[in-house]
Amino acid sequence: MQKQRALSAVGLWWRWVLATLIGAAIGNIFGIAACLAGVYYLSDRLMDIRICDTGFGSLNCPVSTGIVSGAIVVGALVSLMQYLVLRRFFKSPVWWILVSTFGWTWIGFAATSLAFTAQFGFAINPDGSFTASNIVDRIPLLAVNSLWLVLAGTMLGVLQWLVLWNGRNPKLPDAKFLKGRSLLWIVVNVVLVTCMAVAIITTFRGQGSLYGILLFFLGFTPFYATITGATLVKMHLHHLPKVNEKVDANYPLPSSEGIKESDF
């Protein structure tokens, strides 16, 4: 059998970016259909059985159901495409796809809730009168909803880190790069969702919409793909042999003889 060559830094980066963008493009096509089904059909069923009476957070039941339905589809397809890049290093695709889908669903819900969090409006006084409120009055609520988004991104980073750390195929020495500097993966995810929270607050100003959220995530995806791809490259370069070591510059993987075809 032929030897499997290790991916170069550039090769790993552009494959990751391309896979993420393709997954997001295909995912959004099916995700829109799933979102509409959630808004106009599934939400009614959930309200009938009293699972979703008033909604969750800043979102009513139809929007909550729609965004979760759409996010599950998008997250699953993006994580599946990402796995196609990392499959040579993993023993099984199941955990990467499961944890990524869960994490992106939570991020999608938290981001939408933050976008719908009003920054201006009226507050009801104890005597029943109305008082105009501004963004200063809404800071505690905005902070809490922003924290939920950051927590969602942190959870995604931690779960994916656990997969990168423990899901490696022990028969492939090149997969060790997933262990090197892998904590950097968590840090990058936290920074990205923090930037996302700031962008949502300044962009939507409490006037969110499902269409606006779709456009926001379409614009955010290339940024996410580029940064996380660079992080993978950083982890990969950390594991590559140093220049002064007597190792073939191409750093090929060992022969795949003795390795079952299913391992790839």
Side-chain angles (χ1 to χ4, degrees), residues 152-176:
T154 303
M155 182 61 68
L156 174 65
V158 170
L159 291 176
Q160 289 183 335
W161 168 73
L162 289 174
V163 175
L164 293 174
W165 182 270
N166 295 313
R168 294 165 291 116
N169 190 336
K171 297 179 180 180
L172 299 177
D174 194 54
K176 292 180 180 179

Side-chain angles (χ1 to χ4, degrees), residues 21-34 70 73-78:
L21 295 180
I22 292 176
I26 299 175
N28 276 285
I29 294 174
F30 292 98
I32 292 173
V73 173
V74 176
L77 286 170
V78 170

Side-chain angles (χ1 to χ4, degrees):
M1 298 178 65
Q2 293 181 347
K3 295 182 179 180
Q4 295 288 330
R5 296 185 61 187
L7 288 176
S8 65
V10 175
L12 178 61
W13 179 84
W14 77 258
R15 282 176 172 81
W16 175 266
V17 172
L18 184 61
T20 302
L21 295 180
I22 292 176
I26 299 175
N28 276 285
I29 294 174
F30 292 98
I32 292 173
C35 180
L36 294 175
V39 170
Y40 294 107
Y41 176 76
L42 183 57
S43 61
D44 292 337
R45 307 287 80 76
L46 293 179
M47 287 188 285
D48 288 341
I49 59 178
R50 307 188 68 81
I51 292 180
C52 181
D53 290 333
T54 59
F56 304 92
S58 303
L59 309 179
N60 58 31
C61 186
V63 174
S64 299
T65 307
I67 197 65
V68 169
S69 301
I72 289 175
V73 173
V74 176
L77 286 170
V78 170
S79 58
L80 175 61
M81 293 301 298
Q82 290 175 341
Y83 164 72
L84 295 179
V85 178
L86 299 176
R87 63 181 175 177
R88 62 191 296 156
F89 310 117
F90 284 163
K91 292 180 292 185
S92 171
V94 176
W95 285 111
W96 178 267
I97 296 173
L98 284 179
V99 302
S100 299
T101 301
F102 170 76
W104 278 113
T105 300
W106 188 0
I107 288 176
F109 180 85
T112 305
S113 181
L114 181 59
F116 276 81
T117 303
Q119 298 182 14
F120 303 92
F122 293 90
I124 302 177
N125 297 321
D127 59 0
S129 61
F130 291 90
T131 302
S133 63
N134 53 36
I135 191 172
V136 176
D137 302 318
R138 305 297 176 96
I139 285 179
L141 183 58
L142 288 169
V144 170
N145 287 346
S146 298
L147 183 60
W148 275 110
L149 179 55
V150 174
L151 182 61
T154 303
M155 182 61 68
L156 174 65
V158 170
L159 291 176
Q160 289 183 335
W161 168 73
L162 289 174
V163 175
L164 293 174
W165 182 270
N166 295 313
R168 294 165 291 116
N169 190 336
K171 297 179 180 180
L172 299 177
D174 194 54
K176 292 180 180 179
F177 94 85
L178 296 176
K179 188 173 180 179
R181 293 189 178 181
S182 57
L183 286 175
L184 181 62
W185 189 259
I186 300 177
V187 175
V188 168
N189 275 273
V190 172
V191 171
L192 284 173
V193 291
T194 301
C195 294
M196 180 189 292
V198 174
I200 288 175
I201 291 176
T202 56
T203 300
F204 290 96
R205 300 181 65 82
Q207 299 178 357
S209 67
L210 291 178
Y211 178 72
I213 286 293
L214 172 62
L215 294 179
F216 177 83
F217 273 103
L218 286 176
F220 180 79
T221 299
F223 180 72
Y224 160 81
T226 301
I227 299 300
T228 52
T231 304
L232 282 175
V233 169
K234 184 72 173 180
M235 294 161 58
H236 188 249
L237 291 178
H238 175 69
H239 178 69
L240 288 178
K242 297 180 181 180
V243 177
N244 58 359
E245 294 181 3
K246 296 181 179 180
V247 181
D248 184 4
N250 289 327
Y251 189 49
L253 287 174
S255 173
S256 55
E257 294 180 359
I259 299 178
K260 297 179 180 179
E261 187 174 350
S262 59
D263 291 332
F264 295 94

